[in-house]
Amino acid sequence: MKKKNKIYLILFIVVIAIFSFKYWNDYRERDLEDLIRLKKSDFIGFSFTNSGIPILDDKSDGWGTKDIEPVDELLNFLSQYRVKKQKENFFDTNYKGKRFGFTIHHNKSNPTMVTVEEKYVHIYNGKYYEVVNDTIDMDWLNAYFEKYQKEYNR
C-alpha cells in the first residue's frame, strides 16, 4: 500500500472514531442537573411557570426572581434524575399531563430554557431527553412552584 493511501486510511479511521465517540457521548445516560447550564458568575435571574412554557418576561404566568437560592434548590432536586437524549420527534408536543417550565437568565450568554414533564425534559437548544431512572416528582415541582409564587408573587 502506498504511503499516501495509508495516510488517507488513517485519516478516515480517525474521522469515523471522532464521529462515533460524539454520537455515543450525546446519547449516553447523564445526570439531568449536568445538562442545565447555570453560570453563577453571570446569573441575573430565574423564572418559573406551571404551564410548561419557559418565561422570558414579566408578561407570562409564573414567578421570577434575581435570587439564586431557588435555582440551587431546583437543580438539587433535579440532580436525582438520569436522562438519555432522544430524537426530536420523540417529544410529544401534544402532551396532556402536567408540565413545568423555567428559564435561567445569564448576563453574558443566552438564557437556559427548560420544559419538564414526568418522563421527558426538553432543553431549548434542540435537545430532548427521556428520564430513565424514575418519573419526575410533579407533586414536588408543584409545591416548589406554589412556595415561591407566594414569595415572589408578581
Side-chain angles (χ1 to χ4, degrees):
M1 190 183 270
K2 293 181 182 178
K3 186 174 183 174
K4 189 175 183 181
N5 288 344
K6 284 182 183 180
I7 292 173
Y8 286 134
L9 179 62
I10 291 170
L11 284 174
F12 179 74
I13 291 171
V14 168
V15 168
I16 294 297
I18 289 171
F19 281 107
S20 297
F21 176 77
K22 182 177 176 353
Y23 182 84
W24 169 82
N25 190 47
D26 281 349
Y27 286 89
R28 69 184 171 90
E29 277 188 27
R30 296 176 172 198
D31 291 329
L32 179 54
E33 177 189 27
D34 294 341
L35 297 171
I36 299 172
R37 186 170 41 93
L38 171 63
K39 292 183 179 179
K40 290 186 178 189
S41 62
D42 72 342
F43 171 82
I44 58 172
F46 176 72
S47 53
F48 194 92
T49 179
N50 66 353
S51 67
I53 301 168
I55 52 181
L56 289 170
D57 55 41
D58 292 340
K59 297 178 179 117
S60 303
D61 273 345
W63 55 267
T65 181
K66 295 186 185 318
D67 298 334
I68 201 163
E69 292 80 17
V71 182
D72 286 336
E73 182 180 347
L74 178 63
L75 292 181
N76 185 47
F77 166 73
L78 293 175
S79 70
Q80 66 186 305
Y81 298 104
R82 295 197 48 83
V83 295
K84 189 170 184 177
K85 185 177 177 184
Q86 301 295 327
K87 301 282 186 207
E88 182 175 348
N89 60 358
F90 184 81
F91 193 79
D92 183 7
T93 56
N94 297 315
Y95 178 73
K96 302 296 184 215
K98 189 70 173 164
R99 279 186 172 157
F100 292 92
F102 62 89
T103 305
I104 301 171
H105 305 273
H106 298 97
N107 192 28
K108 297 177 184 173
S109 59
N110 291 333
T112 301
M113 301 186 312
V114 180
T115 295
V116 177
E117 299 175 358
E118 279 185 316
K119 287 293 289 175
Y120 308 105
V121 175
H122 178 199
I123 300 175
Y124 283 73
N125 56 2
K127 297 190 175 149
Y128 301 85
Y129 297 90
E130 179 179 17
V131 180
V132 294
N133 65 330
D134 202 355
T135 58
I136 294 178
D137 185 352
M138 301 307 268
D139 291 334
W140 187 95
L141 285 172
N142 197 55
Y144 171 86
F145 172 79
E146 290 175 0
K147 169 185 167 184
Y148 286 109
Q149 185 179 33
K150 290 175 185 172
E151 186 173 337
Y152 300 114
N153 195 10
R154 294 180 187 222

